[in-house]
Amino acid sequence: MIKKNYCVIIFLILGYSSLFAIDNRQVNLNNKADSLVSLTESPNINKEQLISLLNNAYEIFQKTKNTRGLSSTINKLSIWYLEENQIDTSLSLALIALKYAEDINDSLLKAEAFLNIGNIYIDLNNDKYATKYFNKAIDFGDWYIKASSMANIGLIYSNKGEKDSAFNHFEKAYKIFISLDDSSKKLMSNIAITNMNMGTIAMDRKDYRSAKKYFNKSLRTSYSINDNHQIVLTYLNFSQLFLEENNFVLAKEMASRAYQISDSIKSGSLIKYSLLALSNIFYAKNDFKLAYDYLSQYSFMKDSLSGLDIENKIANLQMKYEVEQQQLQIKELENEQKLNAYRIFITALIILMIASVIIYYLNKRRLKNRAKMALAEKQREETQKKLEKAKIDIIHFTKLVQENNERIECFEKELISSNKEENEVFQEKKEKLRGMKILKDEDWVYYKVLFKEVYFDFYNKVFQIPNLTEGDKRQILLLKLGYTNKMSADVLGISTEGIKRARQRLAKKLNLKDAGKLEEYFLKL
C-alpha cells in the first residue's frame, strides 16, 4: 500500500514537472519573440532585417498560440507594407491584427490597429473612414495613440483646406507628445512630423516667422533620431518657404540638401520631389534651361516610378483578390452569427410560447379539476345527507312496523279473550288483523327503496346471487337489519318455525352449514 502511494506521488510530481517544463518553454519562446519584435525598433535596421525579424516572431507566436503577440506583430508588418505603398496587403494584415485584438478584448492592441487602418484609409483618400478609425483609436488608445490619431485628423482637415481645425489638432497632439516621458524614435518622429505640419499651416497663412520656428524644431528632432525621410521633407518645406520669400539662394540650398540626402538613401519618391522643387526655383529665377533640365529628370524619375508602380500593382493583384476573399469570409461569418442569433431568438420565442401554452392548459386543467373536486364534494355531501335521511327513515319505518305489530298482538289477545270466536265480526277482524301483520307489496317496495339507499352495494350483491326467490331476498334484508326470528315472523305473517325453516333453506342454497352462519355470511358480503 505504501509503495502504491509512493508511485502515485512520483507520478503526480512527474506530471506537474512536465506541465511546468512545457509552460516554461512557452514563456521562453514568447520572450524570444518579444525580443525579436523589440529589435525592429532599432534605428540602424534595414528593411530586409525588419521583415525577417517580424516573420520569425510571427512564427513563434503562432506556435505558442500567443494571440496578443500575433496581433502586435501583424500590425507592425501592416505598417511596413504601408510604407512600401502596398496598401492592399497592409489593409489585409491590419484587419487580421484587429480581429486578434478583438478576440482577447485588448483595448491597446485594438487602438493600434484602428490607428493603422486610419493611416491606410488616408492613403486611399477615404477621409470619412480614416476619421472614423482615428476616433476609435482615440477612444481605446493610450496617450501616444490619442496624440497620433489627433495629428492624423489634423492632416485630414489640412487636406480639406480647414487650416484652423487642422492646426488645433496638431497643437493638441504636439502638447501630448512632449508631455510623454519617452525618447523612442517613434515618438520623436511624430514630434518632428507634427512640427512640420504646424509649420506648413503657418506658411499657408504667410506667417513665415512661425513657420521657420516649427520647421527648425522638426529638423532638429529629425536629425536627433537620424530620420532621413523626415529631414528631406522638412528641407523641401524650407525650400518652398524661402521661394515664397523670393530668397532663391536659400531655397536652392534647401532643395539641394534634400536631393543629396534623397539620393544617398536611394528614395525615388524623395528624389523626384527634390528635382521638382529645384525646377520650380530655377523657373521662378527665369533660368528656364536649368528649370527644364531638372523637370526632364523629374519626368524621367516619374516615368520610372510609374513603371515600378505598375509592377507593384500587378504583384498586388493576387493579394487584393485574397483580401476580397477574406472580407467575403468575414461577411459570411458575420451573417452566420446574425443567423445564429436569429435562430436562438426564434427558438427562445418558440419555447416561451410552448411554455405559455403548457402553463395555460395546466392552469385550465387545474381549475377544471378544482371545479370537479368542488362538484364531487358537493355531490358527496348531498349523498351523505340522503344516506343519513334514508337511515333515519328505515329506522323509523322499522320502529313503526314493530309498534304496529305490538298493537296487533294486543288487539289479537283481546279478541281471543272475548269468547266471540264464532262471531262473524270476530272473523272479519281476524282476517283484517292478518292483513295488517303481513307487509304488503307496496310496503316492500318502499322498504327496498329505503334499504337500497342505505346499503347500496350490499343490495346489488344480494340481487346478483342466483336462484333466490323474493322470499329469500326478504329474509336476507331482515337479517341484515338484525331482525330476530320472532320479529321476522311478525313482519312476514308466519310462525317462528316457518322463519327458521325459510332461513335453513336459504343457508342450503348458499352452501352454508346451517342457518346460524347466515348472519356471519351476510356481514362479510
Side-chain angles (χ1 to χ4, degrees):
M1 184 67 183
I2 295 172
K3 289 182 178 179
K4 186 176 180 181
N5 289 337
Y6 276 129
C7 289
V8 172
I9 293 169
I10 292 169
F11 177 77
L12 291 172
I13 291 171
L14 289 173
Y16 282 122
S17 300
S18 300
L19 290 172
F20 179 77
I22 292 169
D23 186 60
N24 195 43
R25 184 170 175 271
Q26 284 200 336
V27 170
N28 290 335
L29 286 171
N30 285 327
N31 288 338
K32 181 181 177 182
D34 288 334
S35 299
L36 293 174
V37 174
S38 298
L39 287 174
T40 62
E41 303 291 336
S42 174
N44 300 319
I45 194 167
N46 59 40
K47 295 177 181 178
E48 291 77 14
Q49 290 173 328
L50 184 141
I51 289 297
S52 176
L53 289 169
L54 290 176
N55 283 332
N56 289 335
Y58 174 77
E59 289 176 3
I60 293 172
F61 285 136
Q62 254 195 337
K63 192 177 295 183
T64 60
K65 297 180 180 179
N66 187 330
T67 307
R68 183 173 281 98
L70 285 169
S71 178
S72 178
T73 305
I74 292 171
N75 200 54
K76 289 181 184 297
L77 281 167
S78 171
I79 294 170
W80 183 84
Y81 277 107
L82 180 61
E83 291 173 355
E84 292 298 305
N85 204 34
Q86 297 186 36
I87 297 174
D88 292 336
T89 304
S90 179
L91 181 58
S92 175
L93 291 171
L95 291 173
I96 294 170
L98 178 60
K99 178 66 170 59
Y100 278 127
E102 287 176 338
D103 286 344
I104 57 174
N105 197 26
D106 190 309
S107 297
L108 187 58
L109 287 177
K110 284 194 285 187
E112 288 177 356
F114 288 141
L115 176 61
N116 190 24
I117 294 170
N119 286 327
I120 294 169
Y121 277 116
I122 281 184
D123 277 28
L124 291 171
N125 296 318
N126 192 329
D127 293 342
K128 179 181 177 182
Y129 272 59
T131 304
K132 170 186 171 183
Y133 281 100
F134 288 142
N135 282 323
K136 285 186 177 182
I138 290 171
D139 290 338
F140 287 93
D142 57 12
W143 285 109
Y144 172 78
I145 292 175
K146 290 179 190 295
S148 299
S149 300
M150 286 180 187
N152 288 330
I153 293 173
L155 279 176
I156 293 172
Y157 279 121
S158 179
N159 292 333
K160 288 180 179 180
E162 299 178 25
K163 302 300 180 181
D164 291 338
S165 295
F167 189 85
N168 287 336
H169 278 80
F170 289 142
E171 193 171 39
K172 287 178 183 177
Y174 177 73
K175 287 178 180 179
I176 295 174
F177 282 138
I178 63 175
S179 70
L180 299 175
D181 186 16
D182 189 4
S183 59
S184 65
K185 180 179 178 180
K186 184 167 66 173
L187 176 63
M188 300 304 289
S189 176
N190 275 288
I191 291 173
I193 292 169
T194 305
N195 272 312
M196 186 187 72
N197 288 331
M198 288 192 290
T200 302
I201 292 175
M203 186 169 62
D204 290 340
R205 293 170 173 172
K206 308 301 181 184
D207 184 0
Y208 297 123
R209 182 177 178 182
S210 296
K212 289 174 185 177
K213 180 184 71 173
Y214 289 123
F215 288 151
N216 277 319
K217 285 183 179 180
S218 177
L219 202 58
R220 285 197 302 271
T221 306
S222 299
Y223 269 112
S224 70
I225 56 175
N226 196 27
D227 188 346
N228 289 320
H229 186 275
Q230 186 60 36
I231 291 170
V232 170
L233 292 176
T234 307
Y235 275 135
L236 288 174
N237 276 294
F238 258 129
S239 175
Q240 181 63 32
L241 184 150
F242 288 128
L243 181 61
E244 290 182 11
E245 287 184 331
N246 294 318
N247 190 337
F248 300 118
V249 175
L250 287 177
K252 179 190 172 188
E253 182 181 344
M254 296 295 106
S256 298
R257 289 184 187 179
Y259 176 79
Q260 290 169 3
I261 297 170
S262 299
D263 187 52
S264 68
I265 61 175
K266 307 300 180 185
S267 175
S269 59
L270 292 178
I271 291 172
K272 181 182 69 171
Y273 294 138
S274 300
L275 289 170
L276 183 60
L278 287 166
S279 176
N280 290 334
I281 292 166
F282 284 107
Y283 183 85
K285 288 177 65 178
N286 296 320
D287 189 341
F288 300 115
K289 182 179 182 307
L290 284 176
Y292 174 78
D293 289 342
Y294 282 117
L295 187 61
S296 297
Q297 291 182 58
Y298 166 78
S299 298
F300 176 77
M301 287 293 299
K302 184 179 179 182
D303 293 339
S304 299
L305 290 172
S306 297
L308 289 173
D309 287 343
I310 291 169
E311 289 180 8
N312 287 334
K313 286 180 180 177
I314 293 170
N316 287 331
L317 281 177
Q318 181 63 30
M319 180 59 72
K320 186 175 182 179
Y321 170 76
E322 292 175 0
V323 170
E324 288 176 352
Q325 292 299 310
Q326 289 175 353
Q327 288 176 341
L328 285 173
Q329 289 177 359
I330 292 170
K331 189 69 176 176
E332 287 176 2
L333 287 172
E334 289 176 349
N335 290 335
E336 184 65 24
Q337 288 177 346
K338 289 178 181 177
L339 184 59
N340 287 337
Y342 178 74
R343 286 172 181 165
I344 291 170
F345 172 75
I346 293 298
T347 303
L349 187 62
I350 290 170
I351 292 172
L352 182 62
M353 290 174 66
I354 292 172
S356 300
V357 171
I358 291 172
I359 291 169
Y360 170 76
Y361 279 107
L362 286 176
N363 191 48
K364 186 177 179 181
R365 186 175 177 182
R366 182 176 61 83
L367 293 173
K368 190 174 180 181
N369 288 339
R370 184 181 291 176
K372 283 182 178 179
M373 289 175 65
L375 181 61
E377 180 64 22
K378 185 178 179 180
Q379 289 175 344
R380 189 189 67 79
E381 290 176 357
E382 289 177 355
T383 303
Q384 186 67 26
K385 288 179 181 179
K386 288 181 180 179
L387 184 61
E388 293 296 330
K389 184 176 182 300
K391 283 183 179 180
I392 293 169
D393 288 346
I394 199 168
I395 292 169
H396 178 72
F397 185 77
T398 302
K399 187 176 180 182
L400 184 62
V401 170
Q402 290 175 345
E403 289 175 353
N404 286 338
N405 287 339
E406 290 175 359
R407 284 198 296 271
I408 290 169
E409 285 181 1
C410 292
F411 183 58
E412 188 177 20
K413 288 177 182 179
E414 289 177 3
L415 287 176
I416 292 170
S417 62
S418 64
N419 296 321
K420 294 180 179 179
E421 295 179 351
E422 301 301 327
N423 193 298
E424 291 181 1
V425 177
F426 172 76
Q427 290 298 331
E428 289 176 6
K429 289 183 178 181
K430 188 175 181 181
E431 289 302 321
K432 187 177 180 181
L433 179 62
R434 287 180 179 175
M436 290 175 67
K437 287 182 71 175
I438 299 171
L439 285 171
K440 298 177 182 179
D441 288 340
E442 55 268 25
D443 292 333
W444 275 109
V445 170
Y446 178 64
Y447 204 75
K448 284 192 287 185
V449 169
L450 291 177
F451 189 92
K452 189 176 181 180
E453 288 181 0
V454 178
Y455 303 103
F456 179 80
D457 292 336
F458 180 84
Y459 182 86
N460 288 334
K461 289 178 182 178
V462 166
F463 279 80
Q464 289 176 3
I465 298 172
N467 303 322
L468 292 181
T469 64
E470 192 65 29
D472 292 335
K473 293 175 183 178
R474 291 179 181 180
Q475 288 291 340
I476 293 170
L477 297 186
L478 294 173
L479 276 166
K480 183 66 177 176
L481 291 172
Y483 275 35
T484 62
N485 289 344
K486 185 177 184 307
M487 289 171 65
S488 297
D490 289 339
V491 170
L492 296 177
I494 59 176
S495 66
T496 304
E497 290 299 322
I499 292 295
K500 289 180 180 179
R501 287 193 297 273
R503 291 187 176 183
Q504 190 62 41
R505 285 193 302 271
L506 179 60
K508 189 175 181 180
K509 285 183 181 181
L510 298 175
N511 297 318
L512 299 176
K513 187 176 180 181
D514 54 47
K517 300 293 183 179
L518 285 171
E519 187 175 350
E520 182 182 351
Y521 176 82
F522 288 116
L523 186 64
K524 294 179 181 178
L525 189 64

